Amino acid sequence: MAENNLMEKIVSLCKRRGFIYPGSEIYGGLKGTWDYGPLGAELKFNIKQEWWKTMVREREDVVGASASILMNPKVWEASGHTAGFTDPLIECRICHERVRADQEDVIKEHEKIHKGKADWTEAKKFNLLVEAKIGVVEGEKNSVYLRGEITQGVHVNFKNILNSSRLKIPFGVAQIGKAFRNEITPGNFTYRSIEFEQMELQYYVKPEEKESMRQYEFWKNMRLDWYKSLGIKTENLRLREHKKDELAHYAKAAWDIEYNAPFGWKECEGLHHRGDWDLSRHQEFSGQDMSYFDEETKEKYIPWVIETSGGVDRAALFFLIDAYEEEKDRIILKLSPKIAPYKVAVFPLLANKPQLVEVAGKIYNDLRKDFVTAWDDRGNIGKRYYSQDEIGTPFCITVDFDSLEKRDVTVRHRDTTKQERVKIDELKSFLEEKLK
Ligand code: ATP
């Protein structure tokens, strides 16, 4: 499949089936914003839930947090964002379009418009923070920023979390939430948006080279495995180390998890060893003590931080791309059942046979209590199967005439199209087993 073609197909499927729509579409849209429909909302919810399960619930050493989007502007001075959260911007002198100077593909695409003769200005720094105004007196409103990353909401609460829990280093604080960036060239569908969600772990460790690198390696591999465990093909994932000139001046190490997208290998998640940058800067700017006291060794220190920072929207997009397959007469989204929007669909074989509708309806209502379940009684069964394949539903249940006597149903598997009979009473445990 041609690569552009694949993206067009994904975008079209997302719109048609209710995964993702252009933001504020009826008003002509707003560049770089996207709205998730019924299936997209389920997919995103499932991704976040799986992340939270792995990163928080299953771990003794990680707790959750949920900080405000709006923060005191001093936070962004301390973190270095006010001065340094910039991308290089160049402007085409012919048509005044502005693009990011480090995005070769976007530049090439633009130069095609002017038949290879675009005339670019020198690159200048462009700050990505999105400003907002708060306050009730017109003319006296205060400028604040919509957070450019969710990270700082955790670091400014380091002491609060420490004092209100019994955590001991090493420990982590996980958070999921919206971030905003005035991206110069949003694009590639949801890949680069101006509003997006991040899922991050800030893991605090002893300020020791060896121990911190051991932790760093652990999280690097753990995060890569997470994407694989949810079905992304191994050959479509890679770890890439940042080059010297990409590294933030305080970073001790930085790698990206990249996905082999139709528009190139692209960052999906950043894995950063941030040293003591965040806490020591907040200590300096706030005047508050941000150190940790180790009761056992009686040492006092500012911990170092290992960060794993992924985008929920990028993950959703890459899961969709990776799962997309076409067979002779059907499109299938081979999503992991764990993140598929619907886990199961229930059909009466014929919509005009009340006994079938009644039994199917009862199964549907029972299963809905435990699984996100779809109902379909339109058209022929083959079409209903294909319709569910296209949105990634792993199992379809059909109630037919035999079901009335034998109290069993046909369960059809999305990927193999194989069918098996399962007792109605055993459907719940059957699905629980398959969705583990
Ligand atoms: P890029 O180099 O692509 O601009 P970045 O290195 O600035 O990304 P980080 O600051 O490390 O990104 O952000 C962590 C994660 O947040 C990224 O790996 C990505 O998944 C997500 N993310 C960042 N910017 C965007 C965006 N504009 N749209 C969607 N997701 C984003």
Side-chain angles (χ1 to χ4, degrees):
M1 210 178 313
E3 311 279 75
N4 289 344
N5 207 355
L6 172 59
M7 273 318 282
E8 272 168 30
K9 286 176 174 176
I10 300 270
V11 174
S12 143
L13 170 68
C14 283
K15 171 96 199 288
R16 186 161 37 85
R17 298 304 308 268
F19 281 94
I20 305 169
Y21 318 119
S24 352
E25 197 184 11
I26 60 166
Y27 291 103
L30 178 67
K31 200 172 172 196
T33 66
W34 299 93
D35 295 338
Y36 288 76
L39 299 190
E42 290 291 345
L43 173 67
K44 248 178 116 172
F45 178 81
N46 294 341
I47 292 171
K48 290 188 272 186
Q49 192 162 272
E50 281 302 316
W51 187 88
W52 198 261
K53 188 164 138 272
T54 318
M55 302 295 283
V56 186
R57 296 270 158 83
E58 289 175 359
R59 299 195 63 93
E60 273 181 275
D61 55 346
V62 178
V63 292
S66 180
S68 284
I69 287 175
L70 301 177
M71 305 179 82
N72 186 312
K74 275 203 170 154
V75 169
W76 304 109
E77 265 178 59
S79 65
H81 281 75
T82 323
F85 192 46
T86 57
D87 276 337
L89 176 147
I90 50 175
E91 186 174 320
C92 170
R93 289 201 177 92
I94 305 171
C95 67
H96 301 291
E97 169 118 356
R98 295 167 156 207
V99 304
R100 237 173 93 168
D102 57 355
Q103 286 178 333
E104 277 171 35
D105 45 347
V106 180
I107 293 174
K108 273 199 195 129
E109 207 46 46
H110 186 81
E111 291 184 343
K112 276 191 208 156
I113 305 173
H114 304 300
K115 308 213 163 36
K117 281 196 209 134
D119 179 10
W120 298 108
T121 58
E122 284 295 304
K124 60 179 181 202
K125 286 182 178 172
F126 177 80
N127 195 295
L128 302 185
L129 285 175
V130 177
E131 243 183 278
K133 298 270 184 207
I134 52 167
V136 285
V137 184
E138 207 47 61
E140 286 177 31
K141 291 188 178 169
N142 293 320
S143 282
V144 287
Y145 298 112
L146 303 184
R147 61 183 175 192
E149 61 175 26
I150 63 170
T151 323
Q152 301 309 326
V154 168
H155 294 312
V156 299
N157 281 299
F158 176 68
K159 274 291 169 112
N160 277 336
I161 293 169
L162 207 54
N163 294 339
S164 55
S165 65
R166 293 195 293 165
L167 291 160
K168 288 206 171 78
I169 280 197
F171 71 86
V173 183
Q175 183 178 215
I176 301 179
K178 291 263 186 176
F180 303 81
R181 292 182 189 177
N182 225 336
E183 292 282 357
I184 300 166
T185 15
N188 286 323
F189 197 20
T190 56
Y191 173 76
R192 188 173 301 286
S193 314
I194 58 173
E195 173 181 341
F196 52 95
E197 246 177 315
Q198 293 184 309
M199 37 192 185
E200 286 194 349
L201 171 75
Q202 304 301 320
Y203 198 77
Y204 298 101
V205 298
K206 265 190 160 181
E208 281 171 10
E209 210 62 47
K210 206 166 151 210
E211 164 62 6
S212 67
M213 285 316 289
R214 190 186 65 80
Q215 292 284 1
Y216 183 71
E217 285 306 311
F218 168 80
W219 287 107
K220 207 167 90 184
N221 295 320
M222 194 277 202
R223 292 305 306 144
L224 185 68
D225 289 346
W226 183 80
Y227 289 98
K228 290 185 194 165
S229 74
L230 290 176
I232 298 227
K233 297 175 197 84
T234 305
E235 67 268 24
N236 287 336
L237 286 168
R238 74 176 185 195
L239 281 164
R240 186 185 70 83
E241 186 173 15
H242 279 209
K243 298 190 203 94
K244 279 261 167 337
D245 61 350
E246 283 178 277
L247 272 185
H249 63 89
Y250 54 81
K252 292 196 176 289
W255 289 67
D256 288 339
I257 295 177
E258 292 189 334
Y259 179 74
N260 185 14
F263 41 94
W265 282 95
K266 295 288 170 190
E267 173 177 341
C268 180
E269 173 155 344
L271 309 159
H272 310 127
H273 187 323
R274 299 172 72 99
D276 69 359
W277 168 258
D278 304 279
L279 292 181
S280 55
R281 290 280 288 193
H282 287 307
Q283 175 162 295
E284 183 188 334
F285 280 69
S286 70
Q288 308 277 324
D289 177 15
M290 293 301 226
S291 60
Y292 173 84
F293 182 69
D294 189 323
E295 296 286 350
E296 276 156 42
T297 62
K298 307 292 176 211
E299 283 171 284
K300 191 176 163 197
Y301 55 78
I302 296 217
W304 285 358
V305 174
I306 311 294
E307 170 189 71
T308 72
S309 174
V312 182
D313 310 83
R314 282 193 191 172
L317 176 62
F318 295 151
F319 280 125
L320 285 168
I321 295 173
D322 211 70
Y324 186 94
E325 278 185 30
E326 285 178 5
E327 280 178 7
K328 205 163 64 335
D329 45 9
R330 64 176 186 145
I331 292 171
I332 327 160
L333 277 188
K334 289 190 173 170
L335 289 169
S336 155
K338 290 198 171 113
I339 56 170
Y342 288 119
K343 307 303 173 200
V344 57
V346 180
F347 317 144
L349 181 65
L350 298 166
N352 59 1
K353 297 287 174 203
Q355 304 118 296
L356 299 185
V357 174
E358 193 189 323
V359 175
K362 184 158 183 326
I363 295 173
Y364 170 65
N365 284 325
D366 280 349
L367 291 181
R368 259 184 335 139
K369 292 176 197 143
D370 298 292
F371 312 97
V372 184
T373 308
W375 170 266
D376 195 357
D377 58 7
R378 302 158 306 165
N380 70 45
I381 287 287
K383 279 202 182 134
R384 292 185 226 168
Y385 284 153
Y386 289 171
S387 169
Q388 294 300 323
D389 290 342
E390 202 185 41
I391 57 172
T393 310
F395 303 101
C396 291
I397 291 173
T398 304
V399 173
D400 54 23
F401 292 104
D402 277 351
S403 309
L404 302 179
E405 272 175 39
K406 297 191 185 145
R407 303 293 300 160
D408 62 5
V409 291
T410 299
V411 176
R412 184 257 196 192
H413 296 241
R414 175 193 69 195
D415 297 350
T416 57
T417 74
K418 284 218 174 84
Q419 303 191 359
E420 61 182 308
R421 295 296 283 191
V422 176
K423 290 280 174 212
I424 293 174
D425 289 345
E426 288 164 17
L427 276 173
K428 191 177 161 203
S429 54
F430 171 88
L431 288 170
E432 269 165 1
E433 183 57 31
K434 298 282 179 202
L435 295 169
K436 248 188 211 162

